[in-house]
Amino acid sequence: MALVIVSSNDNPTFNLQLIIMSHNHENPYFPPPHVRRRWRGGRRFFPFAIFFFTFIFLFIGGTAAILYLIFSEYSGVRNIWLLLCGAPFAVVSLMILAVITLYSRFGKPLGQIFNAIDSVAEGNLSARVPENNSDMFSELFKRFNKMVSELERANQQRRNLTADIAHELRTPLHIIQGNLEGVIDGVYEPTPEHINNTLDETKLLARLVNDLQTLSLAETGQLPLHPTRFLLADLMQDLTSSFSSQAASEGIDLQTHVSDPTQEITADYDRLNQVLSNLISNALRHTPSGGKISLEAESIVGEERGVRIKVNDTGAGIPSDDLPFIFDRFWRGDKSRSGRVNSGLGLAIAKQLIQAHGGTIEAQSELGKGTTFSIELPL
């Protein structure tokens, strides 16, 4: 038994909800087993109904045959009694054949999908419907299985997100708590070094919370954008100025190339700068000394005009197994999570910001040769 207290910001009163959980850990938000059994009762009765009506039809046909034998013996008019007494039997036969055909084509496939729907309603997201059992419903089964697969994937991502957030918040909180307790207990002197270390952890926490808020607003379409008209070359120049000194200190050649210096674009300048800054920072972090990073911007001609921005590096590259997941939340190439400078949300935020502009972002990489991020934005 668990007691859950739920409060609402709009209503200060507390709502108490008592949830009784069974020993087998049934989900309290779904009906109990005996109710679910009643859901399936109608479908379990269906085969019995077929047997019952088949017996009735055979009884009618048999009765018609007996009547034919009796009356034709005394009347002498066999053809009329053959028609009158044989017709019900023929009708019954046709009805039985029709029932069997309809059940095999409609009843059985629909029964399978109803069972799968009930399983999903009970929380079993691994339920699937065989797609090769019905030609008529094959497309329906494919879409149902795809929907359940997406639900299962979203549910797994939600669980992973909860674990990742707990992991990311736990480390800085423990460091802050340890430093403060050490100062209070006299283990550490309140020197500027300890205070600055604690302050750095609070900044990391604030950055993580801000990134989570930005990502949440972007995913729900509530992130405000402030589009302006500007030269793409100006954005490239600002990025080069921001990272040129860091690239030079690390021995990395940072190059910029804009095919059309007069190319203008309408977008949120700060958000686009945030996306490209994140990509360049990642490239600097994974490119060794003597490597090269290039920023390229070109126009897209054709029916859908736009611009394409590329960030190329000659760094370590991304393994092919990790490439499909680099835009997921808290994804890091370093599975040990030893680096704590970044929140692991940069690429996820970049993807959402580009999609908010109506564009796309993709990544291509070859291990040991480098990575290329390509952004396409409409004009």
Side-chain angles (χ1 to χ4, degrees), residues 142-252:
K142 289 179 181 179
R143 297 190 180 188
F144 175 82
N145 291 337
K146 181 179 179 181
M147 178 192 69
V148 177
S149 298
E150 291 298 323
L151 287 175
E152 187 176 24
R153 179 174 176 270
N155 187 52
Q156 185 62 39
Q157 285 183 338
R158 177 183 59 81
R159 295 178 180 178
N160 293 340
L161 176 62
T162 303
D164 288 336
I165 291 177
H167 174 85
E168 298 296 333
L169 292 176
R170 185 184 299 113
T171 302
L173 285 175
H174 282 177
I175 293 177
I176 293 173
Q177 180 180 357
N179 288 342
L180 293 178
E181 289 178 350
V183 172
I184 294 174
D185 295 339
V187 178
Y188 301 140
E189 293 292 334
T191 60
E193 180 182 359
H194 285 103
I195 295 176
N196 287 331
N197 290 337
T198 305
L199 181 61
D200 290 340
E201 297 301 325
T202 60
K203 291 179 179 179
L204 180 61
L205 271 177
R207 185 163 59 250
L208 176 61
V209 173
N210 290 334
D211 288 346
L212 284 171
Q213 183 182 22
T214 301
L215 182 59
S216 176
L217 292 175
E219 288 180 339
T220 57
Q222 299 178 358
L223 184 67
L225 298 178
H226 305 284
T228 58
R229 192 76 174 173
F230 58 89
L231 288 172
L232 190 57
D234 292 342
L235 176 62
M236 297 292 105
Q237 182 61 38
D238 289 345
L239 290 168
T240 304
S241 301
S242 300
F243 291 97
S244 58
S245 59
Q246 179 182 354
S249 63
E250 297 179 5
I252 299 174

Side-chain angles (χ1 to χ4, degrees), residues 24-223:
N24 59 353
H25 303 288
E26 288 284 347
N27 193 329
Y29 296 100
F30 292 105
H34 67 276
V35 176
R36 296 197 295 267
R37 283 195 293 270
R38 287 201 296 269
W39 291 352
R40 299 191 180 96
R43 293 194 298 280
R44 291 177 179 176
F45 177 75
F46 189 66
F48 175 77
I50 293 177
F51 172 78
F52 177 77
F53 286 110
T54 301
F55 177 78
I56 293 298
F57 293 151
L58 290 176
F59 176 78
I60 294 174
T63 303
I66 294 174
L67 291 175
Y68 166 72
L69 293 175
I70 293 175
F71 288 104
S72 62
E73 183 70 24
Y74 295 98
S75 65
V77 185
R78 288 180 171 272
N79 293 334
I80 295 177
W81 286 108
L82 178 63
L83 178 64
L84 294 178
C85 298
F89 184 77
V91 171
V92 169
S93 300
L94 291 176
M95 291 183 67
I96 294 174
L97 180 62
V99 168
I100 295 175
T101 303
L102 289 175
Y103 174 72
S104 62
R105 297 193 63 182
F106 296 96
K108 186 177 180 180
L110 290 177
Q112 290 177 340
I113 195 170
F114 287 153
N115 287 331
I117 291 173
D118 285 344
S119 297
V120 173
E122 294 169 11
N124 180 19
L125 297 180
S126 62
R128 298 293 186 272
V129 182
E131 299 178 2
N132 56 353
N133 287 353
S134 174
D135 296 335
M136 183 171 296
F137 296 101
S138 59
E139 188 64 25
L140 173 63
F141 292 166
K142 289 179 181 179
R143 297 190 180 188
F144 175 82
N145 291 337
K146 181 179 179 181
M147 178 192 69
V148 177
S149 298
E150 291 298 323
L151 287 175
E152 187 176 24
R153 179 174 176 270
N155 187 52
Q156 185 62 39
Q157 285 183 338
R158 177 183 59 81
R159 295 178 180 178
N160 293 340
L161 176 62
T162 303
D164 288 336
I165 291 177
H167 174 85
E168 298 296 333
L169 292 176
R170 185 184 299 113
T171 302
L173 285 175
H174 282 177
I175 293 177
I176 293 173
Q177 180 180 357
N179 288 342
L180 293 178
E181 289 178 350
V183 172
I184 294 174
D185 295 339
V187 178
Y188 301 140
E189 293 292 334
T191 60
E193 180 182 359
H194 285 103
I195 295 176
N196 287 331
N197 290 337
T198 305
L199 181 61
D200 290 340
E201 297 301 325
T202 60
K203 291 179 179 179
L204 180 61
L205 271 177
R207 185 163 59 250
L208 176 61
V209 173
N210 290 334
D211 288 346
L212 284 171
Q213 183 182 22
T214 301
L215 182 59
S216 176
L217 292 175
E219 288 180 339
T220 57
Q222 299 178 358
L223 184 67

